[in-house]
Amino acid sequence: MLVLRHLRTPSPLPEVDAVVGSDGRARCAWGGMERDEQYQRYHDTEWARPVSGDPASVERELFERLSLEAFQSGLSWLTILRKRESFREAFANFDPHSVASFDETDFERLMNDAGIVRNRLKINATISNAKALLALPEGITLASLLAQNAPQTRRAADEPIPAQTPQSQQLAKALKKLGFSFVGPTTAYAMMQAVGVVNDHQPGCWLAAGATIHDHE
């Protein structure tokens, strides 16, 4: 029986390239499960696709992804996905300027919000990361940091999907140096997967080829 999990922790997944859904499309084992339409839609329309738009909207989107990946730590991605709209409402649509201005009243509001994951450390990290984002030196953005740490070579199809890579370790180190917290190499790699910096669609998945702008080791 396949286990429905985000690829942040790929080791529990069986060695299955893809699963064919009722629509005839083959998908990654984690995304091809039809127990949850929202999860399958996330796989088909969002995961591993580059974020685009004007610089401000890209940074907001990347900040949201980074925050949600941090909240996912220790949980399934499906749990976070189902709470995503509540997260957006609670965190002012992840607008960095708004989140950076959150005070003790906002913190208590978040800690009492049953619609999100009420974890003191993760909530504090999200607020402090918004401040770190606004304090980035001129010329440095989340988008540029991801691009700088994007792998240039492709992982062989028969190699297992890693939980972290040297590039995600470098990204996590760079983020921590710039004041970000709760962003380890595994969280950094999950974000790289989610926003198309690496192509981790499994062989046989209809999105395996050409779904991202970068491949990985």
Side-chain angles (χ1 to χ4, degrees), residues 40-211:
Q40 183 170 295
R41 185 168 60 251
Y42 171 73
H43 168 271
D44 286 1
T45 65
E46 186 173 354
W47 192 75
R49 292 179 183 270
V51 176
S52 60
D54 64 85
S57 64
V58 167
E59 287 298 283
R60 189 215 63 78
E61 176 73 12
L62 293 178
F63 174 58
E64 176 182 331
R65 303 291 191 92
L66 183 65
S67 300
L68 293 181
E69 293 294 351
F71 271 105
Q72 189 230 326
S73 181
L75 303 170
S76 74
W77 178 247
L78 186 54
T79 296
I80 301 301
L81 194 60
R82 286 173 172 167
K83 292 176 176 285
R84 191 175 190 178
E85 290 307 316
S86 295
F87 271 110
R88 285 172 170 168
E89 183 176 352
F91 283 96
N93 203 33
F94 289 97
D95 173 66
H97 292 275
S98 298
V99 178
S101 69
F102 280 7
D103 56 18
E104 187 62 30
T105 300
D106 291 297
F107 178 81
E108 292 303 323
R109 169 180 59 81
L110 293 166
M111 285 297 297
N112 287 292
D113 189 340
I116 67 170
V117 175
R118 293 175 287 183
N119 180 290
R120 184 175 299 271
L121 293 177
K122 294 176 182 180
I123 290 172
N124 272 326
T126 303
I127 297 171
S128 65
N129 286 347
K131 296 175 182 178
L133 175 58
L134 297 181
L136 287 175
E138 185 176 356
I140 298 180
T141 63
L142 286 178
S144 70
L145 288 168
L146 284 163
Q148 289 167 14
N149 291 282
Q152 300 302 313
T153 57
R154 186 186 182 93
R155 172 182 58 86
D158 59 350
E159 291 181 14
I161 297 173
Q164 59 178 270
T165 64
Q167 290 77 21
S168 75
Q169 293 168 6
Q170 293 168 11
L171 176 59
K173 183 177 180 180
L175 287 169
K176 288 179 180 179
K177 187 175 180 179
L178 290 165
F180 289 81
S181 59
F182 227 100
V183 186
T186 302
T187 295
Y189 190 66
M191 183 183 182
M192 294 167 81
Q193 290 176 306
V195 300
V197 174
V198 295
N199 184 349
D200 273 346
H201 280 288
Q202 294 171 282
C205 174
W206 73 282
L207 291 168

